[in-house]
Amino acid sequence: MATRAISQEAFDDLVTENVEDLGMEPSEALEDALYTLKLQGVDLSGIITCVPGESSVKDNPVIACLDRLKELDTVTKQEGLLRDEDLDEISSLLVKLNELCGSQEESGNVAIATKHGAVELTCSICSKIKTGARSNCIVVPCLKALAVLIHDIQSTEAFRNASGPRIVVDLLRDSSFDSDSLDAGFAVVAAAATGNEVVKELFMELKVDELILKVLNRESKITIRALYDAIRVLLTPDDNRVVASQVYGYARTFAKLGIARALTEALQAGIGSDSLVSASIALKSIAVNDEICKSIAETGGIDTLLRCIDDSGEQGNKTAAKTYCSLLSKLAGSDSNKSTIVEKRGLDKLIRLAQRFSDDPPVIQEVMSIISIICLRSPDHAASAIEAGAGDLAIQAMKRFPAAAQMQRNACNMIRNIAVRNAENRKILLANGVEKLIRSAKANNEICRASATDALRDLGLDNYNS
């Protein structure tokens, strides 16, 4: 991996030296500079390559856009705010920058923009916006551009160093902003917090959790999709530079504040909405302990999820089905929630979902995972699972998809938990030929070996190790 960097000026000087000192042709000078730097392991992302005499850096549309924005950013009112007469042009330039960097990812424009100070410049413009009737015309383009420009650890650090978190949170706090502004602002929060523990911490210090709750409660009828993404990212331990992430504590803070309850209510209000998948993923990121999982159930979370699971099956929406199952699996980690799911005929709904997606191993394995958790240490729940058809599900799926390793593994785990404390279930499963299927999974899928061995042992078979 390249770890060394080079500035645009240094790169241009190298090409010029090749021409003036070594007598190379302009195109040859450029090719030689590129070859030499790549050989040395230099990171060339964001470098504009120009043949001397034919084009220059300033001809690049991204640079032209940034240069004009810099001019407008320096011409401000006495109080340090953008001039009203410049707002329309700034807005148009930001829209153009967004288009250049967002819709043309393969062009490398976003790397060019960030290398030439686009993140810092956009933060500066954001800090000079005067809130008022016309502010939305520039706030949304500004925030959208930032969300596109922040794409890696270097750009998140540039955002942090430019006081980006404070600037964006201040803009979001303005209650006059509409849903478009909120969506664009939380998209920036999500982009900036991705992979950067320090930025997450800064947002938490700025009370972004209180702002999230305020928006969730205020926008009950309007979906702010990026808000859900922001919650997920803020609560994801994705910074490899940090040994111990603080996100677990943040999740508990979110729950204590009432965000888990607000998200559950949003799920209930949005049955059938295309934003439910994002809301479910956000809620799952908060459900980090038994107490929170129980509180979600107490506010109707399990009822809502079971309805969502039914809907996803009827609509044939595999993505939604897997997402809802994944959240239900997390909630099922609480013993009291296991009983609630069984009492509300959740096992029947899960088996029905698996039947509707009988040709899709990823959905089936999610169903198996939930049933496995529900049956853990509970012979009564295991009996209910067999009655609902879990045994038949395992046998049919294992026969049909022998190469679906993760599904085979989940099937083994489910069989184990169904059988381990229930002698009657063991008889039923063995009579239906499950042993042969488990041994086949063990032999053909490496990741199944431990789970298959455990399943054979808990079925009461002596030669489970063979």
Side-chain angles (χ1 to χ4, degrees):
M1 243 184 114
T3 55
R4 298 173 56 197
I6 187 172
S7 68
Q8 183 70 50
E9 183 181 9
F11 178 83
D12 293 342
D13 287 343
L14 179 59
V15 176
T16 301
E17 287 175 9
N18 283 346
V19 174
E20 296 179 353
D21 298 347
L22 301 179
M24 293 183 183
E25 291 296 321
S27 59
E28 180 189 6
L30 176 61
E31 291 177 7
D32 180 79
L34 291 170
Y35 177 78
T36 301
L37 293 171
K38 287 178 181 178
L39 206 61
Q40 294 173 356
V42 176
D43 182 6
L44 294 174
S45 58
I47 293 294
I48 301 170
T49 57
C50 306
V51 177
E54 295 183 11
S55 61
S56 70
V57 170
K58 292 187 177 296
D59 294 329
N60 184 281
V62 172
I63 300 302
C65 187
L66 292 177
D67 284 346
R68 181 54 182 157
L69 281 170
K70 288 174 185 175
E71 292 175 8
L72 295 169
D73 181 53
T74 57
V75 182
T76 57
K77 297 179 180 178
Q78 289 184 345
E79 59 268 35
L81 299 174
L82 299 173
R83 300 187 307 181
D84 290 343
E85 59 266 34
D86 293 334
L87 294 182
D88 287 340
E89 185 180 359
I90 293 174
S91 178
S92 297
L93 287 166
L94 288 167
V95 170
K96 182 179 180 181
L97 183 63
N98 192 2
E99 291 173 351
L100 287 169
C101 296
S103 61
Q104 302 177 31
E105 293 181 14
E106 70 284 352
S107 68
N109 282 343
V110 69
I112 291 171
T114 53
K115 194 173 188 72
H116 289 81
V119 172
E120 296 88 341
L121 174 61
T122 311
C123 285
S124 176
I125 293 171
C126 282
S127 70
K128 297 172 183 175
I129 295 174
K130 179 182 178 180
T131 57
R134 292 196 63 204
S135 60
N136 263 17
C137 77
I138 189 170
V139 168
V140 174
C142 210
L143 292 173
K144 283 186 174 181
L146 259 183
V148 170
L149 292 168
I150 301 170
H151 67 286
D152 59 12
I153 193 64
Q154 288 77 22
S155 52
T156 63
E157 283 296 301
F159 176 77
R160 176 176 71 86
N161 292 328
S163 301
R166 177 187 57 77
I167 292 167
V168 170
V169 169
D170 285 347
L171 287 175
L172 284 170
R173 282 203 178 103
D174 191 318
S175 59
S176 68
F177 291 157
D178 61 12
S179 59
D180 289 338
S181 298
L182 291 169
D183 198 56
F186 281 112
V188 176
V189 174
T194 298
N196 196 317
E197 185 79 12
V198 177
V199 172
K200 295 182 203 289
E201 184 178 2
L202 287 172
F203 277 126
M204 291 300 293
E205 290 174 354
L206 291 163
K207 305 294 183 184
V208 73
D209 50 343
E210 295 178 4
L211 180 59
I212 287 170
L213 181 63
K214 179 182 176 182
V215 174
L216 279 171
N217 288 336
R218 183 180 64 179
E219 299 291 337
S220 56
K221 294 182 181 180
I222 301 176
T223 299
I224 308 297
R225 188 185 298 275
L227 179 145
Y228 301 137
D229 294 333
I231 294 172
R232 171 184 57 78
V233 172
L234 287 167
L235 303 183
T236 299
D238 56 0
D239 190 337
N240 297 328
R241 303 168 300 169
V242 176
V243 176
S245 175
Q246 300 299 310
V247 298
Y248 178 78
Y250 299 159
R252 288 182 296 171
T253 300
F254 274 44
K256 186 176 181 180
L257 191 63
I259 293 177
R261 174 186 288 273
L263 279 173
T264 304
E265 292 173 354
L267 284 174
Q268 293 165 345
I271 294 291
S273 166
D274 61 359
S275 68
L276 284 184
V277 168
S278 297
S280 297
I281 294 171
L283 185 56
K284 181 184 175 183
S285 68
I286 299 177
V288 296
N289 61 27
D290 188 79
E291 180 184 357
I292 297 172
C293 288
K294 286 196 289 188
S295 71
I296 292 171
E298 288 166 0
T299 54
I302 289 176
D303 284 308
T304 301
L305 271 179
L306 292 176
R307 286 175 60 196
C308 289
I309 284 172
D310 269 347
D311 287 351
S312 67
E314 291 173 0
Q315 296 163 5
N317 190 331
K318 296 178 183 180
T319 300
K322 288 185 287 185
T323 302
Y324 302 145
C325 284
S326 180
L327 174 54
L328 188 62
S329 182
K330 192 79 173 283
L331 299 182
S334 167
D335 286 342
S336 62
N337 286 352
K338 295 174 187 177
S339 299
T340 301
I341 293 169
V342 173
E343 289 165 5
K344 295 182 179 297
R345 304 193 66 80
L347 290 169
D348 293 329
K349 294 178 184 293
L350 289 168
I351 296 298
R352 184 161 60 246
L353 180 72
Q355 291 170 343
R356 284 171 169 160
F357 293 105
S358 59
D359 62 343
D360 194 84
V363 174
I364 297 171
Q365 71 192 34
E366 289 288 348
V367 169
M368 290 175 171
S369 177
I370 302 173
I371 295 174
S372 179
I373 293 169
I374 290 172
C375 294
L376 182 65
R377 299 186 301 273
S378 177
D380 290 340
H381 293 166
S384 297
I386 284 290
E387 290 175 9
D392 292 336
L393 170 65
I395 290 167
Q396 291 167 10
M398 292 179 82
K399 285 180 178 177
R400 187 172 181 184
F401 304 106
Q406 186 59 52
M407 191 215 71
Q408 293 282 335
R409 182 182 184 183
N410 285 14
C412 290
N413 289 333
M414 182 179 74
I415 291 166
R416 177 192 179 191
N417 288 353
I418 287 174
V420 64
R421 298 190 181 188
N422 193 307
E424 184 61 31
N425 285 355
R426 291 197 290 272
K427 293 178 183 177
I428 294 171
L429 290 167
L430 289 170
N432 286 325
V434 78
E435 178 185 357
K436 181 179 179 181
L437 294 169
I438 295 173
R439 292 194 184 280
S440 176
K442 182 177 180 179
N444 298 322
N445 300 289
E446 185 175 353
I447 70 168
C448 295
R449 288 175 188 170
S451 297
T453 298
D454 292 341
L456 292 169
R457 181 195 63 215
D458 291 337
L459 281 166
L461 300 170
D462 293 331
N463 57 342
Y464 58 84
N465 269 323
S466 60

